[in-house]
């Protein structure tokens, strides 16, 4: 049996990103925007939890 890891997930709607999307994802990570966004989400979650 031969595995086909590229076309197997396609019926479920999961597929690898296009080159343009992959480049944007890499820029988001390398540029530090991902870390800043995670920090903001964490801050908002803590704020919401403390108001309950």
């Amino acid at each position: 049996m031969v595995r086909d890891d590229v076309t197997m997930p396609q019926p479920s709607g999961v597929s690898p990103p296009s080159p343009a999307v992959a480049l944007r994802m890499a820029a988001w990570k390398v540029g530090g925007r991902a870390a800043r966004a995670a920090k903001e989400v964490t801050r908002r979650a803590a704020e919401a939890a403390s108001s309950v």
Side-chain angles (χ1 to χ4, degrees), residues 1-3 8-9 11 13 15 17 20-21 28-30 32-38 40-44 51-52:
M1 178 182 263
V2 176
R3 284 181 53 157
M8 186 173 60
S15 59
V21 172
W28 175 270
K29 184 74 173 169
V30 171
R33 290 176 63 193
R36 288 192 301 275
E40 177 64 15
V41 167
T42 303
R43 183 191 67 77
R44 288 184 184 193
S51 69
V52 173

